[in-house]
Amino acid sequence: MKRNIIHFILGVFMFFALTSFLSCSQKLEGATGVSNFDVSKYLGKWYEVARLDTWFEKDMDNTEAFYSLNEDGTVRVENSGYNFVKKKWKTSIGKAKFRGDKNVGDLKVSFFGPFYGDYTIIALDSEYKYSLVVGNTNEYLWILSRTKTIPEEVKQQYLDIAKKVGFDVSKIYWVNQN
């Protein structure tokens, strides 16, 4: 029994280590971080308007993110949302680091210690009101807004960009922000 637990823990660790390595070493083809990025303008509250549903956000609405700067230059990430099945709020706190040039919207984010996933901002309006973010595969996509809704023309523009990068936009979940 003890041996099985140890093997399970090692297996979980190896899985996360491998996915962390792959997410940091591979990029989604065509998903390039926006240039002339200013992290200070990106900080603050964002509402999640739409996403591709993931296991860590399943059954969640009223999801939002709050970004702030840590003393070491990393970005504090606080994600929260309401699980409408379990009828309770959930909050996750992590941190994001730039993958390279701080003027490019290409970061990696971690909620699990040393394991990072891509956070690539592939579309962002000049006023920092709307953002299209993807991960390292076509399974991770978020449309964020400073308000609980997004104008139809921005929605269409971001869906077109997502399609060009290889996302199946018919699978996008439009978040209930009530």
Side-chain angles (χ1 to χ4, degrees):
M1 177 71 165
K2 196 177 202 181
R3 183 182 225 184
N4 288 343
I5 292 171
I6 291 171
H7 283 168
F8 174 76
I9 291 170
L10 285 173
V12 168
F13 175 78
M14 292 303 292
F15 169 77
F16 280 114
L18 179 61
T19 57
S20 175
F21 170 76
L22 290 175
S23 73
C24 290
S25 62
Q26 293 180 326
K27 297 289 291 172
L28 184 62
E29 189 173 327
T32 304
V34 296
S35 57
N36 299 317
F37 181 71
D38 182 349
V39 72
S40 67
K41 292 181 182 179
Y42 200 78
L43 300 177
K45 186 176 191 173
W46 289 87
Y47 293 94
E48 187 180 85
V49 176
R51 68 172 179 260
L52 285 176
D53 230 357
T54 59
W55 62 270
F56 51 87
E57 287 185 296
K58 184 167 174 40
D59 301 327
M60 292 183 72
D61 276 330
N62 297 300
T63 46
E64 55 188 52
F66 188 84
Y67 304 106
S68 57
L69 209 52
N70 291 319
E71 287 184 20
D72 65 359
T74 60
V75 176
R76 182 179 191 272
V77 180
E78 182 176 336
N79 290 341
S80 63
Y82 183 73
N83 185 308
F84 54 83
V85 172
K86 295 180 180 177
K87 299 190 182 336
K88 67 181 200 175
W89 288 92
K90 178 181 173 186
T91 299
S92 298
I93 297 175
K95 72 176 177 179
K97 300 178 184 181
F98 283 92
R99 294 177 67 84
D101 187 343
K102 291 187 178 187
N103 294 321
V104 176
D106 190 11
L107 297 94
K108 56 185 181 175
V109 66
S110 174
F111 292 94
F112 308 107
F115 308 108
Y116 284 84
D118 282 6
Y119 184 100
T120 305
I121 304 161
I122 64 170
L124 180 66
D125 71 300
S126 62
E127 295 179 17
Y128 287 66
K129 288 183 180 179
Y130 313 108
S131 177
L132 174 58
V133 179
V134 299
N136 67 313
T137 71
N138 63 0
E139 296 175 20
Y140 302 102
L141 174 142
W142 298 268
I143 297 176
L144 307 177
S145 174
R146 297 292 188 171
T147 60
K148 293 181 179 186
T149 60
I150 193 167
E152 186 62 29
E153 63 272 9
V154 175
K155 175 182 173 180
Q156 284 307 305
Q157 177 188 10
Y158 283 11
L159 291 175
D160 289 345
I161 293 168
K163 284 182 202 174
K164 287 179 187 171
V165 177
F167 286 93
D168 180 353
V169 299
S170 71
K171 293 182 178 181
I172 289 178
Y173 174 74
W174 296 91
V175 178
N176 185 10
Q177 289 286 356
N178 58 4

